[in-house]
């Protein structure tokens, strides 16, 4: 196993990519090779682990600058492009932002939790799993998705002036694979179609 695989086995991140705090004292026996050498070594910013997950370090337990414990705080949204199949990226980038109508959009995972195992496997992805969003719209969605994952409550579209909060589901979620469905940010076009049906 690679060091990344060893750490993931030890930390056991949940569907949202979050794990418990793992103490450096646990890096023994089977996990001994995870002991930190110079700095964060296998968990550095350019590491495989950091490309997939947001990593947090705690250096406040023992004196000095050594890393006392480490945890995963969700998926790294800045690197999701590597998990999107090339033909899908090309097609989505040829379209216009579904919110602002601008060209040259970013390719957005509709599921902001990034917790659908099928979608994270390139060969099983579908075009309908993604949508074109401008950088501004995608940045806004990214922030709302982080708040949603942290709070367990979905974005309320009434904050944008819409007459309904979601077209499916309720505010609270528990990180289920389908928890995003019904949220404005999951699919703005589908959200607006439901607004028309309500009239």
């Amino acid at each position: 196993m690679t060091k990344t695989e060893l750490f993931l086995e030890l930390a056991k991140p949940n569907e949202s990519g979050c794990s418990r705090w793992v103490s450096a004292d646990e890096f023994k026996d089977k996990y001994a090779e995870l002991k930190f050498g110079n700095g964060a070594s296998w968990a550095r910013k350019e590491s495989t682990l950091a490309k997939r997950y947001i990593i947090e370090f705690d250096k406040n337990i023992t004196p000095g600058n050594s890393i006392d414990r480490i945890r995963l705080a969700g998926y790294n949204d800045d690197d999701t492009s590597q998990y999107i199949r090339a033909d899908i990226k090309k097609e989505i980038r040829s379209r216009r932002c579904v919110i602002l109508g601008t060209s040259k959009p970013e390719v957005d995972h509709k599921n902001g939790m990034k917790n659908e195992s099928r979608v994270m496997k390139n060969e099983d992805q579908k075009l309908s799993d993604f949508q074109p969003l401008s950088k501004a719209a995608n940045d806004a969605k990214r922030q709302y998705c982080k708040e949603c994952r942290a709070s367990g409550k979905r974005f309320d579209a009434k904050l944008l002036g819409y007459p309904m909060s979601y077209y499916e589901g309720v505010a609270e979620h528990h990180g289920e694979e389908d928890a995003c469905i019904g949220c404005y940010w999951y699919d703005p076009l589908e959200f607006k179609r439901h607004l028309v049906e309500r009239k």
Side-chain angles (χ1 to χ4, degrees):
M1 295 177 76
T2 65
K3 290 182 179 180
T4 293
E5 291 169 336
L6 276 175
F7 180 73
L8 292 176
E9 179 183 277
L10 181 61
K12 295 181 175 61
N14 63 21
E15 300 87 353
S16 299
C18 298
S19 76
R20 64 183 177 86
W21 278 109
V22 178
S23 171
D25 293 339
E26 296 179 55
F27 299 156
K28 57 188 176 185
D29 301 325
K30 179 181 179 180
Y31 306 104
E33 58 184 293
L34 293 176
K35 282 190 177 177
F36 291 120
N38 182 20
S41 59
W42 50 268
R44 285 193 182 105
K45 186 165 58 176
E46 65 275 10
S47 69
T48 302
L49 186 68
K51 287 180 179 177
R52 183 83 192 275
Y53 296 93
I54 298 167
I55 303 173
E56 294 181 347
F57 301 101
D58 183 358
K59 301 180 179 181
N60 299 314
I61 298 176
T62 58
N65 197 38
S66 62
I67 297 170
D68 298 307
R69 53 185 193 157
I70 176 175
R71 73 175 174 186
L72 304 178
Y75 290 109
N76 188 346
D77 293 325
D78 296 332
D79 196 54
T80 55
S81 60
Q82 70 172 318
Y83 300 105
I84 303 174
R85 225 171 52 224
D87 60 311
I88 291 177
K89 283 194 285 187
K90 183 177 180 182
E91 174 58 29
I92 294 291
R93 286 175 176 162
S94 72
R95 300 181 180 185
R96 288 185 172 270
C97 171
V98 296
I99 294 177
L100 300 177
T102 52
S103 59
K104 298 180 180 177
E106 295 182 350
V107 184
D108 171 60
H109 281 84
K110 286 184 178 180
N111 181 333
M113 294 191 188
K114 311 287 193 307
N115 65 351
E116 291 177 281
S117 55
R118 177 189 60 77
V119 179
M120 300 312 286
K121 294 178 181 176
N122 290 24
E123 66 273 12
D124 295 330
Q125 292 174 342
K126 299 175 184 175
L127 186 61
S128 59
D129 295 324
F130 304 91
Q131 62 189 343
L133 288 183
S134 68
K135 184 180 187 310
N138 208 11
D139 285 348
K141 176 181 175 177
R142 186 175 293 121
Q143 182 59 40
Y144 287 125
C145 288
K146 285 181 180 177
E147 292 173 8
C148 171
R149 289 194 298 265
S151 68
K153 289 190 177 181
R154 303 197 297 168
F155 174 79
D156 186 344
K158 288 183 178 179
L159 294 173
L160 296 178
Y162 291 107
M164 66 181 185
S165 300
Y166 328 97
Y167 65 83
E168 185 177 311
V170 295
E172 292 77 19
H173 70 83
H174 302 285
E176 305 92 339
E177 281 197 2
D178 62 352
C180 295
I181 298 174
C183 173
Y184 170 82
W185 291 105
Y186 176 78
D187 190 331
L189 294 181
E190 185 65 19
F191 185 92
K192 290 174 183 176
R193 277 192 283 271
H194 280 79
L195 283 177
V196 172
E197 291 172 4
R198 282 168 54 106
K199 291 182 178 179

